[in-house]
Amino acid sequence: MKIKSSELILNPDGSIYHLNLRPENVAKDIIFVGDQNRVDRITRHFDSIEFSTQKREFKTTTGTYKGKRLTVISTGIGPDNIDIAVNEIDALFNIDLETREIKKELTSVNIVRIGTSGSLQADIPVNSFVLSQYGLGLDNVMRSYLIEEVTDVALEDAFISHTNWDLRKGRPYFIKNSSELETKLESELTFKGITGTAGGFYGPQGRVLRLGIQDPELNHKIDNFKFGEYRITNFEMETSAIYGLCKLLGHHAVSLNTIIANRANGTFSEDPYAAVDKLIIYTLDKLSAN
């Protein structure tokens, strides 16, 4: 069935609308970053650059690192931008942009997020790495899709009960990472746990400036949540949407975050840029390893 032009929007040059990319511009191993300036911080380590473009906050560079072809894309902040980025990447691989039909043979890609985050646990210090085993979605983006087959309902129910979650804010969801990518990217340097994904930076993450929030005790409840071996390690704004969309579309995803703030201890990294650079090299070396 041909997809209408109002649903699959292309630029006049045939590239996908927001990312400004054509299929040949993207590698099967993709790194997501939020900050467009972080694209260059990663690709300066590349052996060679074959392609680069930018439209709005979406900056893309493709090249090679130690012989491995990689693409780095900045998504901007928030799960709404992730909805754009992942769907358009999938379209580049799995929809024929000329005929507007879904391909018979589908391609699976790897997406690794390199981000910054705040730890919710006192024992996860600043400058450490967190590998997200689950994404906890507090953002509602994935509720627009049929996620029943990929969300962990038992985790949902336990979290709702533990926090006395107000369902007027939407039902939280839990999506597992790619076990295959977790094995490739884990080491003794990585803490593991559940990463909470909020739809905003201030109130949705429990920060109070001039506005009161619906549940001032929510962060404390989140800190204390445990389900079997799992606990909530950190807060950010992208992981759950990446995991959810990739699971539904048949792609592999893992989120890695440098902890630049510890909310439990009230501490902040003295050199967050150096901490991010260490995670960048760590990730590039893991992805390029055989």
Side-chain angles (χ1 to χ4, degrees):
M1 183 179 68
K2 188 174 182 179
I3 300 171
K4 296 177 181 178
S5 58
S6 60
E7 311 306 295
L8 175 63
I9 305 172
L10 303 178
N11 296 309
D13 65 355
S15 62
I16 201 82
Y17 183 65
H18 294 93
L19 298 185
N20 206 36
L21 298 173
R22 295 177 61 86
E24 62 268 21
N25 303 142
V26 188
K28 291 182 181 179
D29 291 279
I30 301 163
I31 295 173
F32 274 2
V33 294
D35 183 356
Q36 58 192 284
N37 294 324
R38 197 171 294 153
V39 174
D40 291 341
R41 293 183 74 87
I42 295 175
T43 59
R44 68 184 180 183
H45 300 289
F46 280 16
D47 308 318
S48 62
I49 302 294
E50 68 178 72
F51 175 83
S52 189
T53 191
Q54 180 168 4
K55 184 178 180 182
R56 304 183 187 182
E57 62 267 59
F58 302 105
K59 181 175 182 176
T60 300
T61 298
T62 296
T64 59
Y65 177 81
K66 295 184 178 180
K68 181 76 169 181
R69 189 171 187 250
L70 298 169
T71 294
V72 185
I73 301 177
S74 64
T75 62
I77 298 174
D80 50 340
N81 279 13
I82 296 300
D83 183 62
I84 292 171
V86 175
N87 273 296
E88 292 196 358
I89 287 169
D90 179 75
L92 290 170
F93 284 93
N94 293 315
I95 297 174
D96 186 316
L97 300 187
E98 294 185 3
T99 65
R100 296 181 172 274
E101 294 180 337
I102 297 172
K103 296 178 180 179
K104 293 181 180 179
E105 294 188 11
L106 301 179
T107 299
S108 178
V109 304
N110 298 320
I111 295 178
V112 179
R113 165 170 155 75
I114 296 179
T116 56
S117 184
S119 170
L120 298 175
Q121 303 295 337
D123 64 317
I124 302 179
V126 295
N127 303 325
S128 60
F129 304 158
V130 169
L131 188 155
S132 309
Q133 292 171 295
Y134 278 88
L136 158 60
L138 306 174
D139 54 278
N140 290 325
V141 166
M142 289 307 303
R143 289 295 176 190
S144 294
Y145 298 96
L146 304 175
I147 66 168
E148 289 73 19
E149 64 187 76
V150 297
T151 184
D152 191 316
V153 177
L155 262 170
E156 289 181 11
D157 291 340
F159 178 81
I160 290 168
S161 175
H162 177 80
T163 59
N164 193 27
W165 183 260
D166 188 342
L167 288 174
R168 290 177 298 177
K169 296 190 293 186
R171 184 177 175 87
Y173 59 91
F174 288 80
I175 310 290
K176 184 78 170 62
N177 68 10
S178 162
S179 298
E180 179 181 311
L181 274 184
E182 178 180 340
T183 299
K184 187 175 183 67
L185 291 165
E186 68 183 347
S187 77
E188 70 281 356
L189 297 177
T190 52
F191 290 86
K192 293 183 181 181
I194 300 169
T195 293
T197 297
F201 183 78
Y202 289 97
Q205 294 188 41
R207 291 183 174 93
V208 176
L209 301 183
R210 289 205 312 120
L211 295 175
I213 57 177
Q214 181 268 329
D215 186 354
E217 299 299 317
L218 181 59
N219 277 15
H220 179 64
K221 297 174 187 175
I222 289 174
D223 296 347
N224 295 324
F225 176 72
K226 289 185 178 180
F227 188 87
E229 65 182 282
Y230 300 109
R231 61 176 179 165
I232 300 173
T233 50
N234 59 313
F235 244 149
E236 48 83 90
M237 297 178 63
E238 288 81 28
T239 294
S240 64
I242 295 172
Y243 284 10
L245 289 165
C246 284
K247 283 285 185 183
L248 290 175
L249 290 166
H251 304 302
H252 298 281
V254 154
S255 179
L256 289 168
N257 278 276
T258 299
I259 298 300
I260 61 171
N262 186 293
R263 301 285 297 277
N265 298 329
T267 54
F268 193 84
S269 173
E270 294 182 358
D271 193 345
Y273 293 106
V276 170
D277 285 340
K278 288 180 181 178
L279 180 58
I280 287 170
I281 295 298
Y282 174 90
T283 306
L284 289 174
D285 285 341
K286 286 285 189 179
L287 285 175
S288 62
N290 293 329

